[in-house]
Amino acid sequence: MFESNEVRADTSTKSVLDTLDSVKELPLPPDFLWGAATAAYQVEGGAQQDGKGPSIWDEFSHRKPSVTSGEDGDIACDHYNRLAEDIALLSSYGVDVYRFSICWSRLIPLGGRNDPINEKGIAFYNALIDGLVAHGIKPAVTLYHWDLPLELHNRYGGMLNTTEFQADFEHYARLCFSRFGDRVKQWITFNEPYIVSLFGYHSGILAPGHSTQTGHDSTTEPWRVGHSLILAHAAAVQTYAAEFLPSQKGSISIVLNSDFYEPYDATSAADKEAAQRRLEFYVGWFGDPIYLGGDYPESMRKQLGSRLPQFTEAEQELLKKTASHNTFYGMNHYTSQFAKARSTPPTEEDHTGNVEELTTNSEGVEIGPLSGVSWLRVTHKQFRKLLNWAWNRYKRPIYITENGCPCPGENSMALEQAVDDQFRVRYFGLYIDAISQAINEDGVKVAGYYAWSLMDNFEWAAGYSIRFGITYVDFATGTRTPKRSAEYLKETFQKRRGGQ
């Protein structure tokens, strides 16, 4: 999950709740999976414990002046040292699945294929996986959630060097498959490659902080990084399919995030085309090569020209060969926007498809009520449309691998107020209703829903100022307190799947 460090709304929860639709508690299939999600750098802490090497986020969060709201992930939620407590917490919530990420530099401190392996790091994730399995919880493992080993960035530029990065990531993935794959049946290679590419190498809001303002080339770097991520993903998928799938019988894919886009003017052909083009620049950028085994969307080729890398014949063959092994579609989704076609030619730094993104349409109608951050509005009806769009384009069963929100004013609330998170409860209920409608009315295959997040945590550039958790964390003491939303999710999934 990423959000920029923006001002939160001050609107009272009750007045905002009055603007939201009612939850219908619509049914879901009996075998529908639900769980909670986290990412290593956001929750683990233990930044220098037991031989862990530094990642680009360890470096980025310690820059002076701070680019992460004066905070870092050195301790975070101290999940590394509170493992048993957190597994018990998950078990008490009745989850089927826990989606977490592995810290690459905890396993291979220097990151490279010829660098030493840290067995203490292996032991930590073995303990986590074994603990989950013992409680009947399925581990869903993300190999990369934004925390590249710092040495690989320093050694050869990380993802800017496609050949080296692909080889090192494939080696790291093989290590994880071989050590954990007997118990892990759902693998995710990369979390949100769109965010990695654009916020890391275009705006510079996220690590490693590359932008034109920092002396880098934002007109080419994001596309080079995206290219590297696609090919490293395909290499890892090929390795899993050839060496591990026959015995381990798991699944592997990637997680793509996206807003949905409605045309700014519903009567405008240009705005309708802009909404589709925006989705192609957002999702199709990665989805088309990975799931369709083809090239980037034509709309991207047309606008970006030579700045968008070409796939070699060997790379094209790799994509074709591995496409069918991406057996599910991982979707992170939070909100939606209106898309308005720009009348002027795109700038060289444009990454939207020459589209202006707005929260209000041509008739002055807002796309949805505001949450606790200015970029996230409640847009469950558009969520249903995105499910249809992804299903119709890629025809893979969809797992919602992240979805959630902060409540208005939550971070300034006392504990007693914060745990009564009725806004989040309503948000979850509406978005899960949308899943039910997509399944039962539209014929979309949606197989699971992993709430973001298991607990309040380090929210990247925003530090600890924004809370997405279904568990309240007192960052001074580490104390966990379940919120009402955790109880709601346990109850609603039992009810929706036919329980009492």
Side-chain angles (χ1 to χ4, degrees), residues 450-478:
Y450 310 159
W452 185 269
S453 171
L454 170 62
M455 63 185 83
D456 297 333
N457 56 50
F458 179 78
E459 282 295 332
W460 307 111
Y464 297 97
S465 65
I466 299 172
R467 294 177 178 268
F468 272 81
I470 60 173
T471 308
Y472 183 92
V473 176
D474 181 330
F475 294 110
T477 64

Side-chain angles (χ1 to χ4, degrees), residues 363-428:
E363 298 178 351
V365 177
E366 292 187 336
I367 198 157
L370 189 62
S371 72
V373 280
S374 62
W375 61 268
L376 199 164
R377 292 174 178 270
V378 183
T379 59
H380 49 289
K381 293 176 182 177
Q382 285 72 32
F383 175 42
R384 178 180 176 181
K385 293 179 181 181
L386 181 62
L387 289 169
N388 276 271
W389 191 91
W391 168 251
N392 289 330
R393 194 172 183 98
Y394 301 123
K395 295 296 183 184
R396 302 297 200 285
I398 298 169
Y399 287 84
I400 308 306
T401 40
E402 288 183 26
N403 177 245
C405 72
C407 300
E410 184 170 11
N411 197 48
S412 61
M413 293 178 184
L415 174 63
E416 294 75 18
Q417 291 177 288
V419 296
D420 187 25
D421 57 341
Q422 295 296 332
F423 183 93
R424 182 177 289 108
V425 166
R426 185 77 62 89
Y427 177 99
F428 280 144

Side-chain angles (χ1 to χ4, degrees), residues 437-453:
Q437 292 170 321
I439 294 171
N440 296 313
E441 299 176 35
D442 306 335
V444 178
K445 292 185 180 179
V446 188
Y449 178 92
Y450 310 159
W452 185 269
S453 171

Side-chain angles (χ1 to χ4, degrees), residues 223-472:
W223 316 115
R224 289 168 58 194
V225 167
H227 202 71
S228 297
L229 290 167
I230 290 166
L231 292 170
H233 162 83
V237 170
Q238 182 180 42
T239 295
Y240 186 75
E243 300 177 26
F244 299 96
L245 179 62
S247 61
Q248 296 180 358
K249 303 187 187 319
S251 62
I252 188 167
S253 193
I254 196 167
V255 160
L256 305 181
N257 67 301
S258 179
D259 295 357
F260 185 77
Y261 291 87
E262 299 274 18
Y264 171 76
D265 180 346
T267 67
S268 164
D271 287 351
K272 290 178 184 177
E273 290 172 5
Q276 171 67 14
R277 192 166 64 250
R278 185 70 191 96
L279 283 166
E280 290 175 356
F281 268 70
Y282 211 136
V283 181
W285 177 8
F286 299 96
D288 283 15
I290 287 170
Y291 291 108
L292 303 181
D295 195 14
Y296 296 111
E298 181 57 34
S299 59
M300 296 183 72
R301 284 268 174 233
K302 182 178 179 181
Q303 177 176 317
L304 298 170
S306 62
R307 287 181 286 125
L308 191 62
Q310 296 284 343
F311 293 110
T312 66
E313 285 189 21
E315 290 165 351
Q316 290 171 356
E317 284 303 310
L318 176 64
L319 292 172
K320 289 176 185 176
K321 183 178 179 181
T322 56
S324 64
H325 291 294
N326 295 282
T327 53
F328 64 91
Y329 181 98
M331 177 187 289
N332 288 0
H333 175 74
Y334 293 88
T335 195
S336 299
Q337 303 184 65
F338 293 109
K340 182 179 182 181
R342 290 196 172 105
S343 57
T344 55
T347 66
E348 278 207 326
E349 288 201 10
D350 177 73
H351 61 273
T352 66
N354 208 26
V355 173
E356 185 178 359
E357 301 171 315
L358 300 162
T359 58
T360 304
N361 70 7
S362 62
E363 298 178 351
V365 177
E366 292 187 336
I367 198 157
L370 189 62
S371 72
V373 280
S374 62
W375 61 268
L376 199 164
R377 292 174 178 270
V378 183
T379 59
H380 49 289
K381 293 176 182 177
Q382 285 72 32
F383 175 42
R384 178 180 176 181
K385 293 179 181 181
L386 181 62
L387 289 169
N388 276 271
W389 191 91
W391 168 251
N392 289 330
R393 194 172 183 98
Y394 301 123
K395 295 296 183 184
R396 302 297 200 285
I398 298 169
Y399 287 84
I400 308 306
T401 40
E402 288 183 26
N403 177 245
C405 72
C407 300
E410 184 170 11
N411 197 48
S412 61
M413 293 178 184
L415 174 63
E416 294 75 18
Q417 291 177 288
V419 296
D420 187 25
D421 57 341
Q422 295 296 332
F423 183 93
R424 182 177 289 108
V425 166
R426 185 77 62 89
Y427 177 99
F428 280 144
L430 291 172
Y431 277 66
I432 298 167
D433 274 351
I435 293 173
S436 173
Q437 292 170 321
I439 294 171
N440 296 313
E441 299 176 35
D442 306 335
V444 178
K445 292 185 180 179
V446 188
Y449 178 92
Y450 310 159
W452 185 269
S453 171
L454 170 62
M455 63 185 83
D456 297 333
N457 56 50
F458 179 78
E459 282 295 332
W460 307 111
Y464 297 97
S465 65
I466 299 172
R467 294 177 178 268
F468 272 81
I470 60 173
T471 308
Y472 183 92

